[in-house]
Amino acid sequence: MRGLLLRVGLNLADLLVRSLPRGAAYGLADLAGRAWHRFAPGRRALVAENLARVCEATGRPTSGRAFRRMVARAFVEHARYYLELLRSPHYPDDRIDQIVRAEDWEHWEAVMRGGAVVAFPHFGSFPPFGHLLAAHGLRGVAPVEEVRPRELYDFLAARRSAGRSVEMIPLSRARRRMVDTLRSGGLVAIGADRDLKGDGIKVEIFGHQTTLPAGPAALSVMTGRPLILATCTREAPERFVGRAWLVEAELTGDRRADTAALTRAIAARLEEAIAPHPEQWWATFQPYWSDQNTEKAR
């Protein structure tokens, strides 16, 4: 019964959000984000701590009114992501090029059509970019964490399929499927900036030590397919810009060393991608660096 009620509730929320006019939907998300910022002091302190590190590394103020506005804005931007997760599967294909403007699209489309590892940070709103891929006939797979309960996992996986371009596959059974997809010329979309297991490659990001997952680099090394870091930055309600960077490193033929070198190259590209809009980097809602207390997110 509990699962049925959850499924009904999620479907009703989905119906409400996609039925609202764009302005009303974003107004509701912004209201939720501002309320979240106000009534979640623990999370607010964590986001402020994380953004202060980014701001210090990029020459921005780490206190004062401008910094407080950035922290508050981060909650609004994150709330907008959840809204877009529900709305983006319903974007009309004939308008997707107006909704998502992809910089240097012709170049990157040619690269991706041969098969590529598309690594993405938890930044902006990547579901609209997935819809763009679908509209241009590109297909792939993406590993996802198997959250509980099952009804929530199924609901999120369906929405994250992002316009039917990317099939969500359980993380625990993803390895063979990802390798086969790459070798057959498909895409693998995989998170690049959060090491959920905590056993990844040691790197430095914005002046502090952390670890990044080895998966994106390892897949590229194993299959010989290019490694691309991609972001989809929110510019306005239902207006996004997609950007991509080729991730390269000097390879030696030693798989482990090459994976580490490419992962460090990802870290440098992550800084470049995130620095212009750190308020859209929603990895800051969790403890991110190695010296942080993992209990802070609770």
Side-chain angles (χ1 to χ4, degrees):
M1 177 60 71
R2 182 178 300 175
L4 175 62
L5 290 175
L6 176 60
R7 188 162 54 247
V8 170
L10 291 170
N11 287 330
L12 285 174
D14 186 21
L15 177 63
L16 171 64
V17 164
R18 63 187 173 93
S19 299
L20 286 172
R22 180 179 63 186
Y26 273 89
L28 183 62
D30 291 359
L31 180 63
R34 288 192 291 269
W36 186 14
H37 171 261
R38 180 175 181 181
F39 295 111
R43 190 73 61 174
R44 185 171 65 243
L46 175 60
V47 173
E49 177 184 329
N50 287 336
L51 285 178
R53 295 187 178 197
V54 180
C55 289
E56 181 179 22
T58 56
R60 293 181 172 92
T62 59
S63 61
R65 183 177 298 177
F67 177 72
R68 291 194 297 271
R69 281 200 301 265
M70 177 184 287
V71 173
R73 188 68 202 175
F75 283 80
V76 171
E77 296 288 351
H78 199 6
R80 286 186 170 194
Y81 163 73
Y82 288 112
L83 171 72
E84 291 150 2
L85 182 64
L86 300 180
R87 287 177 69 89
S88 60
H90 307 286
Y91 292 161
D93 287 347
D94 60 358
R95 290 189 57 243
I96 193 62
D97 288 309
Q98 302 170 30
I99 295 172
V100 184
R101 174 177 59 85
E103 291 187 349
D104 203 10
W105 171 250
E106 292 78 9
H107 169 74
W108 292 113
E109 182 180 16
V111 173
M112 289 188 289
R113 284 200 182 279
V117 180
V118 182
F120 57 87
H122 292 76
F123 176 90
S125 189
F126 50 78
F129 191 78
H131 196 112
L132 177 71
L133 297 180
H136 287 268
L138 291 163
R139 296 290 186 270
V141 299
V144 292
E145 187 181 4
E146 296 161 82
V147 298
R148 293 289 182 266
R150 180 70 191 191
E151 290 80 7
L152 179 59
Y153 170 80
D154 290 341
F155 179 83
L156 292 175
R159 275 71 191 170
R160 285 172 173 165
S161 292
R164 307 171 305 281
S165 68
V166 181
E167 179 189 351
M168 302 294 113
I169 53 178
L171 183 61
S172 62
R173 303 192 299 273
R175 185 176 183 275
R176 173 48 53 190
R177 183 72 183 280
M178 290 190 293
V179 171
D180 291 345
T181 296
L182 289 167
R183 287 177 174 165
S184 64
L187 301 176
V188 168
I190 185 169
D193 62 334
R194 287 190 60 201
D195 179 20
L196 297 178
K197 291 184 178 180
D199 59 355
I201 307 295
K202 292 181 179 180
V203 299
E204 184 176 289
I205 295 180
F206 295 117
H208 296 268
Q209 294 291 323
T210 187
T211 58
L212 291 182
L219 284 168
S220 178
V221 170
M222 187 183 308
T223 62
R225 296 299 188 263
L227 175 58
I228 300 167
L229 180 75
T231 63
C232 193
T233 305
R234 183 182 303 104
E235 294 195 320
E238 292 187 3
R239 291 293 182 272
F240 310 91
V241 57
R243 297 184 176 91
W245 295 260
L246 186 63
V247 180
E248 295 179 295
E250 186 174 345
L251 303 183
T252 65
D254 181 318
R255 184 175 292 183
R256 180 175 295 181
D258 290 348
T259 296
L262 272 177
T263 303
R264 289 191 291 270
I266 289 175
R269 290 300 196 186
L270 282 171
E271 290 181 332
E272 184 179 350
I274 292 164
H277 297 281
E279 72 281 358
Q280 293 196 33
W281 188 31
W282 36 281
T284 59
F285 281 72
Q286 302 293 330
Y288 189 74
W289 284 278
S290 302
D291 62 343
Q292 289 179 304
N293 184 353
T294 57
E295 297 296 317
K296 287 183 179 181
R298 297 181 180 177

